[in-house]
Amino acid sequence: QVQLQESGPGLLRPSETLSLTCTVSGASIRSSFWSWIRQPPGKRLEWIGYIYDGGTTNDNPSLKSRVTMSLDTSKNQVSLNLTSVTAADTAVYYCASGVGWLTDWGRGTLVTVSS
Amino acid sequence: EIVMTQSPATLSVSPGERATLSCRASRSVSFTLAWYQHKPGQAPRLLMYGASSRATGIPARFSGSGSGTEFTLTISSLQSEDFAVYYCQQYNNWPWTFGQGTKVEIK
């Protein structure tokens, strides 16, 4: 059974860079696609992007190229960086396996952007 | 981007009753539609993909139908563990997008 756990700082100040890690157990990150999704308070889920095949990525144009994703095969982790955060980036951030449909999800981690 | 609209926002149902959830796409997504269940504090769970294929381990009381712009998730006889928020999601056009959710609550 694949398990995913997101981790990272819960509080950021505006203009900082959000860095999150997703630790995967029960599967090799080499063998699948990995996605990041977020849900701001009171709003719908938003697909941030996905990564696969050693580092090929695709991110949501709405995030205006602020997104970087990477794979650490030695730790079986997937990472997300989001630069120049604002209050609008406050959300629960999820990592999940799959592209198209998402087979397994983490429980999410709340990130708050506030001065 | 394709906008997904779910209705109703909240559905009040008694245990054992049938629940019908709707999802509409702003333009055709063919059969590229998934459904998820989300309970507070838990990871979201994939229910359906390809509009009507049940994911691994999903009980037969869950069924999906539709194509193009109109989709339905039916829960034939609600169990206590089925009270949750349900989301639809299209994966026909990038960026893939989600509906705003339907909360199924106990009547």
Side-chain angles (χ1 to χ4, degrees), chain A residues 71-83:
Chain A
L71 302 174
D72 185 337
T73 53
S74 67
K75 296 181 180 178
N76 219 42
Q77 292 177 335
V78 186
S79 295
L80 169 71
N81 280 0
L82 180 67
T83 62

Side-chain angles (χ1 to χ4, degrees), chain B residues 22-39:
Chain B
S22 296
C23 175
R24 173 176 291 177
S26 59
R27 62 179 189 268
S28 177
V29 298
S30 185
F31 293 93
T32 57
L33 193 284
W35 289 94
Y36 303 90
Q37 178 192 67
H38 193 197
K39 298 177 184 178

Side-chain angles (χ1 to χ4, degrees), chain A residues 39 44 47 94 99-100 102, chain B residues 4 36 38 41 87 89 96 98:
Chain A
Q39 187 169 34
R44 65 183 63 202
W47 208 302
Y94 299 92
V99 67
L102 296 164
Chain B
M4 307 301 292
Y36 303 90
H38 193 197
Y87 296 99
Q89 174 242 318
W96 301 316
F98 294 85

Side-chain angles (χ1 to χ4, degrees), chain B residues 43-99:
Chain B
R45 177 190 185 195
L46 174 67
L47 299 174
M48 315 290 299
Y49 61 94
S52 60
S53 296
R54 270 190 301 276
T56 302
I58 302 304
R61 64 181 181 273
F62 291 91
S63 63
S65 63
S67 66
T69 62
E70 301 284 342
F71 300 88
T72 300
L73 175 71
T74 302
I75 311 171
S76 60
S77 177
L78 268 161
Q79 305 299 303
S80 57
E81 61 266 31
D82 299 336
F83 293 97
V85 178
Y86 292 82
Y87 296 99
C88 63
Q89 174 242 318
Q90 67 82 19
Y91 51 96
N92 193 67
N93 287 89
W94 180 255
W96 301 316
T97 49
F98 294 85

Side-chain angles (χ1 to χ4, degrees), chain A residues 17-32:
Chain A
T17 295
L18 180 160
S19 295
L20 296 176
T21 298
C22 175
T23 301
V24 179
S25 57
S28 169
I29 62 170
R30 299 172 194 263
S31 64
S32 188

